[in-house]
Amino acid sequence: MLQKRNTLWGLFFIGPQVIGLIVFALIPLLYALVLSFMKWDGFGERTFVGFSNFTSQFYNPDFWKALVNTVYYMILTIPIGIAIALILATALNKVAGKEFYRIFFFMPVVTSSVSVGVIWMWILNGDFGILNQLLSYIGITGPHWLTDTKWVMPSIALLSIWWGLGYNMVIFLAGLQGISKSYYEAAEIDGASVLQKFRYITLPLLTPTTFFVTIMSVISSFQVFDQAFVMTNGGPAKASYTLVFHIYDQAFIDFTFGKSSAAAMILFVMILVFTLLQFRFQKRWVHYGD
């Protein structure tokens, strides 16, 4: 009787999450999969076209432009973002007032993307932006960050690193606090330096946390959209045109929902493949347990 009651309470508490997952994730995913084989403008009849929506993506130069931009964005954000978050977490792990710093660094994460984009548009303005003003004090003439094809993607990457820094840092900080102090005490007795303790104790024992942060960063980078939409609208000359932007354009600008769904399915498969590859190779560098 008690076990049955506990089971019912468990179902009661997980029920809203399961229902939300089915209604807002699984059903839309299945609908997009079906729609990817259709020709539909959002209003008329749906026509089955087979795999033509998928093949059309590979002949579409915008798709390849978006893919290159997305990969470039990933290269800019993932290594730098993870490294800075790890360094900050390591520094904050040994200071008083961790709770205050966690809140301080986490605040941008819970700020809306539109607000963040508008603020950084002002910071990165090529004519009167605060960043170029600061650079001018040391004799550097800053570029037009958001209107120069060479600098627009690094600018968006800079925003994204700052925006997601608090999340990664908090995860790393939690991982660091889970490492037993006895390891460091033993290393100090053996005369290990700070760098040696970081290299041979912190990094190996933090690999599960690093693995999690890397996976989440890869998934987030594939899905970048808000920053480019608010700040540059994919420009200039589609230099900040990403895969999700391509999906949005085909759906809500061109009204080719079948092609948009096909592009979304391709993106889903790419994220899935990258995630599975990361799980496949994690055994080579992730160390669980003591």
Side-chain angles (χ1 to χ4, degrees):
M1 184 65 181
L2 180 60
Q3 184 178 359
K4 184 178 180 180
R5 182 182 299 176
N6 291 337
T7 302
L8 291 175
W9 275 112
L11 293 174
F12 173 78
F13 283 111
I14 69 172
Q17 297 295 331
V18 173
I19 294 172
L21 176 65
I22 294 173
V23 173
F24 297 108
L26 295 182
I27 292 178
L29 178 62
L30 293 175
Y31 184 75
L33 177 61
V34 173
L35 196 59
S36 65
F37 296 99
M38 305 287 180
K39 180 180 180 181
W40 187 47
D41 63 359
F43 300 99
E45 292 291 330
R46 299 177 181 87
T47 305
F48 180 77
V49 293
F51 288 94
S52 64
N53 287 330
F54 291 91
T55 56
S56 67
Q57 296 300 319
F58 298 107
Y59 291 101
N60 188 341
D62 287 343
F63 173 80
W64 294 107
K65 179 69 174 177
L67 178 59
V68 170
N69 288 340
T70 303
V71 172
Y72 180 39
Y73 171 86
M74 293 172 61
I75 294 172
L76 289 173
T77 56
I78 294 177
I80 299 175
I82 291 177
I84 295 176
L86 176 57
I87 292 171
L88 279 176
T90 304
L92 294 180
N93 192 42
K94 297 184 178 296
V95 300
K98 297 185 185 69
E99 294 76 12
F100 168 77
Y101 289 110
R102 270 187 281 196
I103 295 172
F104 178 78
F105 282 103
F106 201 79
M107 285 177 62
V109 179
V110 297
T111 306
S112 72
S113 57
V114 175
S115 301
V116 170
V118 170
I119 292 172
W120 276 82
M121 285 176 65
W122 173 68
I123 294 174
L124 297 173
N125 187 282
D127 297 319
F128 53 82
I130 187 173
L131 180 57
N132 280 357
Q133 290 292 328
L134 293 174
L135 290 176
S136 67
Y137 294 149
I138 56 177
I140 299 176
T141 302
H144 289 270
W145 300 96
L146 300 178
T147 57
D148 189 328
T149 56
K150 295 180 181 179
W151 287 102
V152 64
M153 192 55 78
S155 301
I156 294 175
L158 176 64
L159 178 155
S160 300
I161 291 170
W162 170 83
W163 194 15
L165 183 62
Y167 177 83
N168 291 339
M169 188 207 70
V170 167
I171 299 297
F172 274 124
L173 194 57
L176 287 168
Q177 291 175 351
I179 300 176
S180 175
K181 294 181 179 179
S182 60
Y183 294 111
Y184 297 103
E185 293 171 355
E188 289 178 359
I189 294 174
D190 292 336
S193 65
V194 174
L195 289 178
Q196 286 174 327
K197 287 187 287 186
F198 181 78
R199 168 66 179 84
Y200 296 105
I201 299 176
T202 303
L203 286 181
L205 295 179
L206 207 60
T207 50
T209 305
T210 306
F211 176 66
F212 172 79
V213 171
T214 302
I215 288 224
M216 298 304 295
S217 298
V218 169
I219 294 174
S220 176
S221 297
F222 266 116
Q223 297 175 334
V224 59
F225 170 74
D226 298 9
Q227 303 92 310
F229 182 76
V230 173
M231 298 172 66
T232 63
N233 198 30
K238 294 193 173 180
S240 59
Y241 189 75
T242 62
L243 282 172
V244 177
F245 212 116
H246 177 66
I247 294 170
Y248 167 84
D249 258 8
Q250 293 206 313
F252 301 107
I253 303 299
D254 300 335
F255 292 99
T256 53
F257 287 92
K259 293 181 179 180
S260 175
S261 298
M265 289 298 102
I266 294 173
L267 176 59
F268 170 76
V269 171
M270 291 173 63
I271 294 175
L272 179 62
V273 169
F274 266 82
T275 304
L276 291 177
L277 285 174
Q278 286 176 301
F279 274 100
R280 173 67 177 82
F281 293 108
Q282 66 160 321
K283 296 179 181 179
R284 299 185 179 182
W285 62 279
V286 178
H287 309 284
Y288 294 100
D290 298 333

